[in-house]
Every structure is written in structure tokens, then in C-alpha cells.
Amino acid sequence: MAAPESPRTDSSPWNWLLLAPIVVPLLTPLFNHDEPRLAGFPLFYWLQFAFILLGVGTTTLVYRMTRKRSRP
Amino acid sequence: MNDHVTEIVIFTVLFLLVSAIGFVAARWRAPKDMAHLDEWGLGGRSFGGWITWFLVGGDLYTAYTFVAVPALIFGAGAAGFFAVPYTVVIYPMFFLILIRLWSVSHRHGFVTPADFVRTRYDSPTLALLIAITGIVATMPYIALQLVGIEAVLKTMGVTGDSALARHLPIIIAFAILAAYTYQSGLRAPALIAFVKDTLIYIVIIVAVLYLPYKLGGWGAIFEAADKKFQASPAPGDGIILNANNQVQYFTLALGSALALFLYPHSITGVLASRNRDVIKRNMSALPAYSFLLGLIALLGYMAIAAGVKPLPGAKAGSVDSNTVVPLLFDAKFPAWFAGVAFAAIGIGALVPAAIMSIAAANLFTRNIYKEYLKRDATPAQEAGVAKITSLVVKIGAVGFIVFLDPQFSIDLQLIGGVIILQTGPSVVIGLYTRWLHRIALIAGWAAGMALALWMLWQIPNAATGRRHFGGSAFPLSEFGLDSQKTIYVGFVAVLANLVVAALVTLLLRVMRTPPGADGTTPGDYFADEGDPRVEREKSTPIDTVSST
């Protein structure tokens, strides 16, 4: 099953979104605090857990928006 | 004589079950002919989304992670949590890079990152350096998987007096592992990864629901940890970072992320996928493991709240903090569940150890044996050499643990992460541009390597009293800066590597030194499954010259 030649590029403006989950989790002043706590978790911990969701959300979005149309 | 009989029985049964799966794996999705490096070492390059998810996940989140990250949290607090941002930033960072590497490898039949460098830069020397760096960095990593198993065995009281008796269970475990990897290649860890992850998910979900309930809630757990760190004299610990280790925290997270996908074994997992789509989808699905990792990390605080005291280490007076998680399970759960948890950690060591030994074997076969020893090796000969090399690598790793202090492997792994980063400019930048000159890349590699080793040599370890290779946090004051801050060694070394590579490139351009021929074409970086050129070569198994 020879798929049609895909357009020879990976570039898309959506890719810029990937910068967010790379940069945000590295900004320690953003999350290096104890308060406010969430369910007993200091901010330092629950916010970094939340960054995982940011990472999943962004990469999923970029993946969906840049998928080649030839592949259903 | 031993009150851990239930745990030992459950551990052994699950271990044997998994070993059986490892042997059966040879027939799983297998073609008629396994005597080809693509089949043995890359599972026929045919893995879809789920298998890749388990395989790469099993690759990156190892037994050592499960025992060492919580141990770090137990000892130092917030600084150990770097593992979470590290596994968050890694996927968006490699989202676009790995599909390019997959495509060019698919078109040219590359099995290792060094294969790519060889063709891209027309430089066997640079490829050799990349291959050797990969093998050297991987060996202690495999040895560390044994440290994970050893922590579990120690907790179950399976230890002897003589060196041989103490290590016998590990030697047996590795002999079994070696046998099924030899037979089934990458298919074995791919299939076992399903079992491993199922066990780990069950254990961790139960643990993070049940333990806080037993220990008085998350608030109480963090309070207990805070109290411990307040009382300790060490300056760097605490449940949040202090002013001096923030730079270390994010440079370590970033540097470790870069290093992780440069390790040959992670690239093996990626190249084994069926198409680009599988890789992209996985880059968004793999962070599910980061949740797991974060929760596992917090087991370190639960151990503090539960009053766990780590078992004594190899030297008198030292403690083996790697035993805190096994001890926590031993103390707080019924024996049968602790047995399942221990099996999860034990099997968690086998999957990555198998993939790592395969990756090291691929590197040796492709970039040393075929390049320097036997240029006209047939695919069957390649597969044969790789199988034997995978055995040698595992024997070497066992040797590390049996004959040397395990602490030595930990030091080596620390160095491994820093040196594997030095292959980044050749591999990652090479995927985008050929601007850097091959000789400049060699110079950059040498500079980065030298600086990294020098910096690591300067770092003492306060806890163990060692004067060198005591950690990866380099004090900025050593550079003459008026600061108490520390920075991750690998980060500085790779920057130096890049600067040298760029400067030497400029110099070589002025001198008009030939850059060598690029064996790849721009289109190679976008090829996908069912690529017409690859299909054509499959149907005509004659030595075809590149058609472009």
C-alpha cells in the first residue's frame, strides 16, 4: 500500500505552541512556593503535576492540527 | 528463618512468568527469518502505537527511577522532584526531532544514531566517537538496573555473607534475561513491558490511595517531611527549593531531558515504531508516565512520614537509601501485595536492561564490527554478532555490580548522562542542518567531554565523604563567580561543545577544508511508512545504488 507522497515539510505555525510546555515547567520562580496548598499538596507539587496536563494538551493539539490529511 | 517467604514466593512466580513470556516473544509478530538486525534489534520496525508506548515508556522509566528518585526525595526533598519537569519538557522538545530521525533511518536502514552521523557527515571517525560514547554511557545504566533489583532483594532478606552468595540471585536473574534477549531480541522487552507497566500502575495507584489514608493525609505527609528537613543541618534540602538550587533544578531537568532521548536505547525504541504517526501520537501519550513518576517520587515523603529507616549500605556506617521504597511497602502492606510491588520493581529492571543491551549491541555491530572489522558482513552475520554482543554487555554489567561498589555504577551513570549529551550537536543539529563541520563536531565533542569530566572531578560528595564525582551540581563559584548557586554539569559542557563546534566550523570554512559528501537528501527527512523508495528496495533485494 504505497501512500501518496506526503508534502515535503513538517513546518506549521502550530508547532510554536510546543514551546509553552518546554519553557513553563523550567521557570522555577513560578512554582517554588508552599502556598496555596491543594488537598494538602504544596503549590510546588500540584502545579508541576498540572504542567503534565499542559504538556499532554499541547502536544495532542499540535499532533491533531498537523496530521496529514492523506491518513484518516 | 526468614519472615519474607510470601514476598519471595510471589516475586519468584511473577519473575518466572515474565521470563516465559520473554522466550515466547520470539514468535510474536515474527517473520520467517529472524536472522536480520532489523528483526532482532528493531522488532522488524513494525510496532504500532500501543506497543511503542509500552516499549518507550518501559525504556525511560526504569527500576532505578523507581528506587532512586524517591530515595532522592527522601534525602533531599524538592530537588529530587526535578524528575517531573524533566519528563514534561522532553516530549514537546523531541516531538519534531524524532520524526526526522525516524524518516531518515527508515529510508537508509539506519539502526543506530551513529549510522545516521556516518552517512550525514561522511565521517567514520565521528560515527565511531558517537558509538563509543553511547556504549560507555549505556553500560553503567544497565548495571544500575541491578541496583534496583538488589534493593528489593535486600529488603526481602535475600542476602548472603560472601560476595558470590549476595549476588547469586542477580546473576541468575540476568542469566535468564540474557537468554531470552538472545533469542527474541527487541520483541522480548516489548512484550514484557505490558506486564511490567500493568503491575506498576496497579501498585502505585493502590499505594497513593491507601498510604496517605494510613499516614493521616497528604498534608500530614508534607508536614512530616518539612519537619525532617528543618531539623537537618544540610543546606540544600527542604520541601521547596531554596535560592541556591533553582538554577541547578531547571538546568538538570533540561539537560537530563536532552540526554534521555540521545541514549541509544531510547532511539532504539523510537526506530522500532511503524511510522511517524506512531511517534507523534506517543509524544503526547507518554507523559501519562510522568504522573506515575511524580507519584512514585512522593513515596519518598511517605517513607519519611512512615518513619522508614534505610538499610545499611555496603560500607560500615553508610545507609543504602535505595531501600526506602521497598521498606515502605514491606512495612505498610500485607506480604502478598509487597511481593507484587517488589516483582513490579524487579521486572521494571528487566525491560530497560534488555533494550539497553540490544542498543549497545546494535552500536557495536553497526559502527565498530561492520565499519572496521568486516565490511561485507551479511545481515545474518550482523544479527549473530549483535546477539553475542548483547550477552557480553550484560556480563559486563553484572561484573560492575559484583566486583565493584554499586556506588561506582551510580557515579558512572552520572557521568554517562553528561557524556551522552555531548553527542547532541552531531545527532540533533545534524538532523536539521549540515552547517557544522565534521571535524568541528569532533573538536566540540572532545571539548565538551574534557570540560564535563573536569567539572565532575571537582565535585565532592558531602554525604559519602568522596572527593570526586560526588554529584552533578557544579558550584558557580568555581568559575570565579560570586555566587552560592550550582548548575548542572552537562548543561555547561554541552554549551562549550556547541561553541567550540561553531568556532572551529568557521575556521575550517575559511581554510576550505572539504566537508565530505552528504549521503542524505532533504526528502529523506520526511519519508513515511510505505515510502516508494524503501518499498522498491525491498522488492529488489540486489545491492541497489541510491536512486537519487
Side-chain angles (χ1 to χ4, degrees):
Chain A
M1 47 137 251
E5 283 274 286
S6 50
R8 293 262 183 250
T9 178
D10 283 327
S11 65
S12 156
W14 286 101
N15 292 339
W16 291 105
L17 270 183
L18 294 172
L19 276 178
I22 299 175
V23 173
V24 173
L26 299 177
L27 304 174
T28 50
L30 198 66
F31 52 79
N32 195 28
H33 308 283
D34 194 324
E35 304 285 334
R37 292 204 173 195
L38 186 73
F41 281 82
L43 176 86
F44 182 83
Y45 300 89
W46 67 257
L47 195 56
Q48 293 195 76
F49 272 112
F51 292 157
I52 302 175
L53 296 178
L54 173 73
V56 174
T58 319
T59 39
T60 307
L61 182 69
V62 175
Y63 163 63
R64 298 223 159 243
M65 300 321 277
T66 57
R67 204 153 37 156
K68 299 282 182 286
R69 246 167 273 126
S70 61
R71 208 172 286 279
Chain B
M1 82 192 210
N2 188 320
D3 50 0
H4 299 280
V5 178
T6 317
E7 290 170 4
I8 296 170
V9 168
I10 292 196
F11 180 87
T12 313
V13 167
L14 285 171
F15 197 91
L16 291 177
L17 172 82
V18 158
S19 306
I21 295 174
F23 283 108
V24 173
R27 265 173 277 161
W28 175 56
R29 302 165 59 101
K32 281 193 209 83
D33 181 19
M34 274 283 280
H36 193 295
L37 200 52
D38 268 11
E39 292 301 335
W40 182 83
L42 286 181
R45 298 180 193 259
S46 66
F47 292 156
W50 279 102
I51 305 172
T52 304
W53 190 73
F54 282 109
L55 185 67
V56 177
D59 220 0
L60 306 187
Y61 303 88
T62 69
Y64 185 63
T65 329
F66 300 144
V67 300
V69 172
L72 199 57
I73 293 261
F74 179 87
F81 210 65
F82 85 94
V84 170
Y86 146 47
T87 56
V88 173
V89 301
I90 187 167
Y91 301 107
M93 211 154 68
F94 280 90
F95 185 85
L96 295 168
I97 297 172
L98 289 176
I99 49 174
R100 288 176 78 89
L101 181 63
W102 184 90
S103 289
V104 70
S105 303
H106 180 66
R107 255 221 178 142
H108 290 269
F110 299 150
V111 176
T112 70
D115 279 350
F116 162 69
V117 168
R118 165 84 176 82
T119 304
R120 176 67 150 166
Y121 291 102
D122 193 15
S123 170
T125 315
L126 185 58
L128 180 67
L129 290 177
I130 304 288
I132 291 175
T133 312
I135 295 171
V136 170
T138 306
M139 287 283 289
Y141 213 155
I142 303 174
L144 277 193
Q145 302 310 317
L146 295 166
V147 173
I149 303 186
E150 206 165 44
V152 167
L153 293 174
K154 242 176 166 171
T155 308
M156 292 194 294
V158 188
T159 47
D161 291 327
S162 69
L164 185 68
R166 192 163 63 238
H167 294 293
L168 196 61
I170 285 186
I171 295 172
I172 295 171
F174 248 49
I176 299 174
L177 168 70
Y180 65 67
T181 314
Y182 182 90
Q183 188 186 339
S184 311
L186 196 62
R187 285 178 169 82
L191 201 52
I192 293 174
F194 284 94
V195 184
K196 171 209 150 191
D197 285 353
T198 311
L199 284 178
I200 286 178
Y201 270 99
I202 293 171
V203 167
I204 295 307
I205 289 167
V206 171
V208 297
L209 292 176
Y210 177 75
L211 285 176
Y213 161 75
K214 283 272 277 196
L215 297 169
W218 284 103
I221 291 170
F222 283 107
E223 278 335 306
D226 197 26
K227 222 164 93 194
K228 178 194 158 179
F229 295 129
Q230 298 278 357
S232 94
D237 61 8
I239 60 167
I240 61 172
L241 302 170
N242 60 34
N244 292 332
N245 55 12
Q246 292 199 29
V247 175
Q248 167 73 12
Y249 190 84
F250 85 81
T251 52
L252 180 59
L254 182 62
S256 308
L258 267 169
L260 191 57
F261 265 114
L262 289 171
Y263 269 110
H265 56 270
S266 352
I267 292 178
T268 300
V270 168
L271 294 188
S273 13
R274 187 170 53 209
N275 57 36
R276 309 178 111 215
D277 218 44
V278 166
I279 297 171
K280 278 188 149 188
R281 233 180 314 149
N282 262 291
M283 291 295 117
S284 54
L286 276 163
Y289 284 100
S290 308
F291 258 110
L292 197 62
L293 185 69
L295 294 172
I296 292 173
L298 293 178
L299 289 175
Y301 286 158
M302 296 187 205
I304 294 177
V308 167
K309 296 266 173 298
L311 292 175
K315 280 198 212 79
S318 68
V319 292
D320 182 358
S321 57
N322 286 329
T323 54
V324 297
V325 167
L327 285 172
L328 177 67
F329 280 103
D330 190 46
K332 293 287 163 190
F333 282 104
W336 68 269
F337 188 79
V340 174
F342 293 170
I345 297 175
I347 297 164
L350 300 183
V351 173
I355 308 172
M356 288 166 194
S357 68
I358 289 169
N362 288 348
L363 280 169
F364 175 80
T365 306
R366 270 305 177 90
N367 310 107
I368 296 174
Y369 170 75
K370 189 162 185 192
E371 183 78 53
Y372 292 97
L373 301 174
K374 192 168 167 53
R375 292 217 84 128
D376 56 348
T378 63
Q381 281 170 329
E382 275 185 23
V385 170
K387 285 167 109 172
I388 291 167
T389 314
S390 81
L391 294 182
V392 175
V393 167
K394 282 197 216 65
I395 294 168
V398 173
F400 267 114
I401 293 292
V402 174
F403 298 110
L404 301 167
D405 182 355
Q407 180 60 42
F408 189 63
S409 307
I410 296 172
D411 295 343
L412 285 178
Q413 201 268 335
L414 175 87
I415 300 169
V418 173
I419 67 171
I420 199 72
L421 260 177
Q422 308 313 318
T423 66
S426 305
V427 178
V428 175
I429 297 180
L431 284 168
Y432 285 91
T433 166
R434 213 168 162 273
W435 185 81
L436 290 168
H437 195 285
R438 51 185 175 172
I439 297 171
L441 283 167
I442 295 172
W445 176 91
M449 212 62 127
L451 181 63
L453 293 177
W454 176 80
M455 288 172 82
L456 291 170
W457 180 257
Q458 305 295 316
I459 300 173
N461 186 326
T464 59
R466 299 162 56 84
R467 293 183 52 212
H468 308 293
F469 299 117
S472 64
F474 188 78
L476 286 175
S477 57
E478 292 267 341
F479 285 134
L481 298 171
D482 179 24
S483 168
Q484 293 290 306
K485 294 180 167 49
T486 58
I487 192 164
Y488 176 54
V489 170
F491 189 78
V492 180
V494 82
L495 282 183
N497 180 337
L498 280 171
V499 170
V500 170
L503 291 177
V504 177
T505 296
L506 289 172
L507 185 71
L508 291 168
R509 293 195 164 222
V510 173
M511 290 162 56
R512 299 193 182 283
T513 312
D518 183 358
T520 68
T521 64
D524 289 348
Y525 296 88
F526 306 102
D528 206 346
E529 183 187 17
D531 183 73
R533 207 170 88 177
V534 177
E535 295 295 317
R536 204 178 316 131
E537 280 174 20
K538 262 191 209 155
S539 51
T540 47
I542 319 153
D543 256 347
T544 43
V545 189
S546 177
S547 58
T548 35

CSV table of all heavy atoms in Angstrom, one decimal, chain B residues 133-161:
chain,number,residue,atom,x,y,z
B,133,THR,N,30.7,6.6,22.7
B,133,THR,CA,30.0,7.4,23.8
B,133,THR,C,28.7,6.6,24.2
B,133,THR,O,28.5,6.5,25.4
B,133,THR,CB,29.7,8.8,23.3
B,133,THR,OG1,30.8,9.3,22.7
B,133,THR,CG2,29.3,9.7,24.4
B,134,GLY,N,28.0,6.2,23.2
B,134,GLY,CA,26.7,5.5,23.5
B,134,GLY,C,26.9,4.2,24.3
B,134,GLY,O,26.3,4.0,25.3
B,135,ILE,N,27.9,3.4,23.9
B,135,ILE,CA,28.2,2.2,24.7
B,135,ILE,C,28.6,2.5,26.1
B,135,ILE,O,28.2,1.9,27.0
B,135,ILE,CB,29.2,1.3,23.9
B,135,ILE,CG1,28.6,0.9,22.5
B,135,ILE,CG2,29.6,0.1,24.7
B,135,ILE,CD1,29.6,0.2,21.6
B,136,VAL,N,29.6,3.4,26.2
B,136,VAL,CA,30.1,3.7,27.5
B,136,VAL,C,29.0,4.3,28.4
B,136,VAL,O,29.0,4.0,29.6
B,136,VAL,CB,31.3,4.7,27.4
B,136,VAL,CG1,31.7,5.3,28.8
B,136,VAL,CG2,32.5,4.1,26.7
B,137,ALA,N,28.1,5.1,27.9
B,137,ALA,CA,27.1,5.7,28.7
B,137,ALA,C,26.0,4.6,29.1
B,137,ALA,O,25.4,4.8,30.2
B,137,ALA,CB,26.4,6.8,28.0
B,138,THR,N,25.9,3.6,28.3
B,138,THR,CA,24.8,2.7,28.5
B,138,THR,C,25.2,1.6,29.5
B,138,THR,O,24.3,1.2,30.3
B,138,THR,CB,24.4,2.0,27.2
B,138,THR,OG1,24.1,3.0,26.2
B,138,THR,CG2,23.2,1.1,27.3
B,139,MET,N,26.4,1.2,29.5
B,139,MET,CA,26.9,0.1,30.4
B,139,MET,C,26.5,0.3,31.9
B,139,MET,O,25.9,-0.5,32.5
B,139,MET,CB,28.4,-0.1,30.2
B,139,MET,CG,28.8,-0.8,29.0
B,139,MET,SD,28.4,-2.6,29.0
B,139,MET,CE,29.7,-3.1,30.1
B,140,PRO,N,26.9,1.5,32.4
B,140,PRO,CA,26.6,1.6,33.9
B,140,PRO,C,25.1,1.8,34.1
B,140,PRO,O,24.6,1.5,35.2
B,140,PRO,CB,27.3,2.9,34.2
B,140,PRO,CG,27.6,3.6,33.0
B,140,PRO,CD,27.8,2.5,31.9
B,141,TYR,N,24.4,2.2,33.1
B,141,TYR,CA,22.9,2.4,33.2
B,141,TYR,C,22.3,1.0,33.4
B,141,TYR,O,21.4,0.8,34.1
B,141,TYR,CB,22.4,3.0,31.9
B,141,TYR,CG,21.2,3.9,32.1
B,141,TYR,CD1,20.9,4.9,31.2
B,141,TYR,CD2,20.3,3.7,33.1
B,141,TYR,CE1,19.8,5.7,31.3
B,141,TYR,CE2,19.2,4.5,33.3
B,141,TYR,CZ,18.9,5.5,32.4
B,141,TYR,OH,17.8,6.3,32.5
B,142,ILE,N,22.8,0.0,32.6
B,142,ILE,CA,22.3,-1.4,32.8
B,142,ILE,C,22.7,-1.9,34.2
B,142,ILE,O,21.8,-2.5,34.9
B,142,ILE,CB,23.0,-2.3,31.7
B,142,ILE,CG1,22.7,-1.8,30.3
B,142,ILE,CG2,22.5,-3.7,31.9
B,142,ILE,CD1,23.4,-2.6,29.2
B,143,ALA,N,23.9,-1.6,34.6
B,143,ALA,CA,24.3,-2.0,35.9
B,143,ALA,C,23.4,-1.4,37.0
B,143,ALA,O,23.1,-2.1,38.0
B,143,ALA,CB,25.7,-1.6,36.2
B,144,LEU,N,22.9,-0.2,36.8
B,144,LEU,CA,22.0,0.4,37.8
B,144,LEU,C,20.7,-0.3,37.9
B,144,LEU,O,20.0,-0.3,38.9
B,144,LEU,CB,21.7,1.8,37.4
B,144,LEU,CG,22.8,2.8,37.8
B,144,LEU,CD1,22.3,4.2,37.7
B,144,LEU,CD2,23.2,2.6,39.3
B,145,GLN,N,20.3,-1.0,36.8
B,145,GLN,CA,19.0,-1.7,36.9
B,145,GLN,C,19.2,-2.8,38.0
B,145,GLN,O,18.2,-3.2,38.7
B,145,GLN,CB,18.6,-2.4,35.5
B,145,GLN,CG,18.5,-1.3,34.4
B,145,GLN,CD,17.6,-0.2,34.8
B,145,GLN,OE1,16.5,-0.4,35.4
B,145,GLN,NE2,18.0,1.0,34.6
B,146,LEU,N,20.4,-3.3,38.0
B,146,LEU,CA,20.7,-4.4,39.0
B,146,LEU,C,20.6,-3.8,40.4
B,146,LEU,O,20.2,-4.5,41.4
B,146,LEU,CB,22.1,-5.0,38.8
B,146,LEU,CG,22.2,-5.7,37.5
B,146,LEU,CD1,23.7,-6.0,37.2
B,146,LEU,CD2,21.5,-7.0,37.6
B,147,VAL,N,21.0,-2.5,40.6
B,147,VAL,CA,20.9,-1.9,41.9
B,147,VAL,C,19.5,-1.8,42.3
B,147,VAL,O,19.1,-2.1,43.5
B,147,VAL,CB,21.5,-0.4,41.8
B,147,VAL,CG1,21.3,0.3,43.1
B,147,VAL,CG2,23.0,-0.5,41.5
B,148,GLY,N,18.5,-1.6,41.4
B,148,GLY,CA,17.1,-1.6,41.7
B,148,GLY,C,16.7,-3.0,42.2
B,148,GLY,O,16.0,-3.1,43.2
B,149,ILE,N,17.1,-4.1,41.5
B,149,ILE,CA,16.7,-5.4,41.9
B,149,ILE,C,17.3,-5.7,43.3
B,149,ILE,O,16.7,-6.3,44.2
B,149,ILE,CB,17.1,-6.5,40.9
B,149,ILE,CG1,16.6,-6.2,39.5
B,149,ILE,CG2,16.7,-7.9,41.4
B,149,ILE,CD1,16.9,-7.3,38.5
B,150,GLU,N,18.6,-5.2,43.4
B,150,GLU,CA,19.3,-5.5,44.7
B,150,GLU,C,18.6,-4.9,45.9
B,150,GLU,O,18.5,-5.5,47.0
B,150,GLU,CB,20.7,-5.0,44.6
B,150,GLU,CG,21.6,-5.8,45.5
B,150,GLU,CD,23.1,-5.6,45.1
B,150,GLU,OE1,23.5,-4.4,44.9
B,150,GLU,OE2,23.9,-6.5,45.1
B,151,ALA,N,18.0,-3.7,45.7
B,151,ALA,CA,17.4,-3.0,46.8
B,151,ALA,C,16.2,-3.9,47.3
B,151,ALA,O,15.9,-4.0,48.5
B,151,ALA,CB,16.9,-1.6,46.4
B,152,VAL,N,15.5,-4.5,46.3
B,152,VAL,CA,14.3,-5.3,46.6
B,152,VAL,C,14.7,-6.6,47.3
B,152,VAL,O,14.2,-7.0,48.3
B,152,VAL,CB,13.5,-5.6,45.3
B,152,VAL,CG1,12.5,-6.7,45.6
B,152,VAL,CG2,12.9,-4.4,44.8
B,153,LEU,N,15.8,-7.2,46.8
B,153,LEU,CA,16.2,-8.5,47.4
B,153,LEU,C,16.7,-8.3,48.8
B,153,LEU,O,16.5,-9.1,49.7
B,153,LEU,CB,17.4,-9.1,46.5
B,153,LEU,CG,17.0,-9.5,45.1
B,153,LEU,CD1,18.2,-10.0,44.3
B,153,LEU,CD2,16.0,-10.7,45.2
B,154,LYS,N,17.4,-7.1,49.0
B,154,LYS,CA,17.9,-6.8,50.3
B,154,LYS,C,16.8,-6.7,51.3
B,154,LYS,O,16.8,-7.2,52.4
B,154,LYS,CB,18.6,-5.5,50.3
B,154,LYS,CG,20.1,-5.5,50.6
B,154,LYS,CD,20.6,-4.1,50.4
B,154,LYS,CE,21.9,-3.8,51.0
B,154,LYS,NZ,22.4,-2.5,50.5
B,155,THR,N,15.7,-6.0,50.9
B,155,THR,CA,14.5,-5.8,51.8
B,155,THR,C,13.9,-7.1,52.1
B,155,THR,O,13.4,-7.3,53.2
B,155,THR,CB,13.5,-4.9,51.1
B,155,THR,OG1,14.2,-3.7,50.7
B,155,THR,CG2,12.4,-4.5,52.0
B,156,MET,N,13.9,-8.1,51.1
B,156,MET,CA,13.3,-9.4,51.4
B,156,MET,C,14.3,-10.3,52.2
B,156,MET,O,13.9,-11.4,52.5
B,156,MET,CB,12.9,-10.1,50.1
B,156,MET,CG,11.8,-9.4,49.4
B,156,MET,SD,11.0,-10.4,48.1
B,156,MET,CE,12.4,-10.5,46.9
B,157,GLY,N,15.4,-9.8,52.5
B,157,GLY,CA,16.4,-10.5,53.3
B,157,GLY,C,17.1,-11.6,52.5
B,157,GLY,O,17.7,-12.5,53.1
B,158,VAL,N,17.0,-11.5,51.2
B,158,VAL,CA,17.8,-12.4,50.3
B,158,VAL,C,19.2,-12.0,50.2
B,158,VAL,O,19.6,-11.4,49.1
B,158,VAL,CB,17.1,-12.6,49.0
B,158,VAL,CG1,17.7,-13.8,48.2
B,158,VAL,CG2,15.6,-12.9,49.1
B,159,THR,N,20.0,-12.1,51.2
B,159,THR,CA,21.4,-11.7,51.1
B,159,THR,C,22.2,-12.8,51.7
B,159,THR,O,21.8,-13.5,52.6
B,159,THR,CB,21.7,-10.4,51.8
B,159,THR,OG1,21.1,-10.5,53.1
B,159,THR,CG2,21.1,-9.2,51.1
B,160,GLY,N,23.5,-12.9,51.2
B,160,GLY,CA,24.4,-13.9,51.8
B,160,GLY,C,25.6,-13.2,52.4
B,160,GLY,O,25.6,-12.0,52.4
B,161,ASP,N,26.5,-14.0,53.0
B,161,ASP,CA,27.7,-13.4,53.6
B,161,ASP,C,28.8,-13.1,52.6
B,161,ASP,O,29.4,-12.0,52.6
B,161,ASP,CB,28.2,-14.2,54.7
B,161,ASP,CG,27.2,-14.3,55.9
B,161,ASP,OD1,26.5,-13.2,56.1
B,161,ASP,OD2,27.0,-15.3,56.5
